[in-house]
């Protein structure tokens, strides 16, 4: 593989972070490229619909539906589909 393009910003991945960085840089006048390994854009957001998961939040607790860091990690582990590295998890 060879690469002959010259750009100001390389966004690695097309998830929320990558595309947000690419759009912000573009809007500031930068020449941008987005690199994505998957067959479609969106990263994990393509599966989640762009929802943001905020565990242990006060709104759920106020509704009588509190959760815990351990429950949150089980949910994120489920979402990762076996691709997450447990050594990088904040709660074990």
């Amino acid at each position: 593989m060879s690469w002959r393009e010259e750009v100001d910003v390389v966004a690695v991945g097309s998830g929320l972070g990558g595309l947000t960085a690419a759009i912000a840089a573009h809007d500031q006048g930068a020449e941008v490229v987005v690199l994505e390994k998957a067959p479609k854009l969106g990263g994990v957001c393509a599966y989640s619909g762009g929802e943001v998961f905020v565990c242990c939040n006060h709104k759920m607790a106020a509704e009588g539906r509190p959760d815990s860091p351990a429950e949150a990690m089980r949910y994120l582990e489920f979402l990762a589909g076996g691709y997450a590295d447990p050594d990088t998890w904040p709660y074990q």
Side-chain angles (χ1 to χ4, degrees), residues 39-59:
K40 64 180 176 179
L41 293 177
V44 174
C45 295
Y47 299 105
S48 71
E51 294 178 7
V52 176
F53 171 65
V54 181
C55 69
C56 306
N57 70 76
H58 67 282
K59 295 289 190 180

Side-chain angles (χ1 to χ4, degrees), residues 52-84:
V52 176
F53 171 65
V54 181
C55 69
C56 306
N57 70 76
H58 67 282
K59 295 289 190 180
M60 286 184 63
E63 291 181 3
R65 301 184 307 147
D67 61 356
S68 69
E71 289 173 314
M73 289 308 301
R74 281 193 296 276
Y75 177 66
L76 293 173
E77 182 179 8
F78 165 77
L79 290 180
Y83 290 100

Side-chain angles (χ1 to χ4, degrees), residues 8-19:
D8 302 309
V9 175
V10 176
V12 179
S14 66
L16 280 179
L19 289 182

Side-chain angles (χ1 to χ4, degrees), residues 5-11 21-22 24-34:
E5 298 296 319
E6 185 173 318
V7 296
D8 302 309
V9 175
V10 176
H26 172 270
D27 288 353
Q28 293 295 313
E31 188 74 23
V32 179
V33 65
V34 177

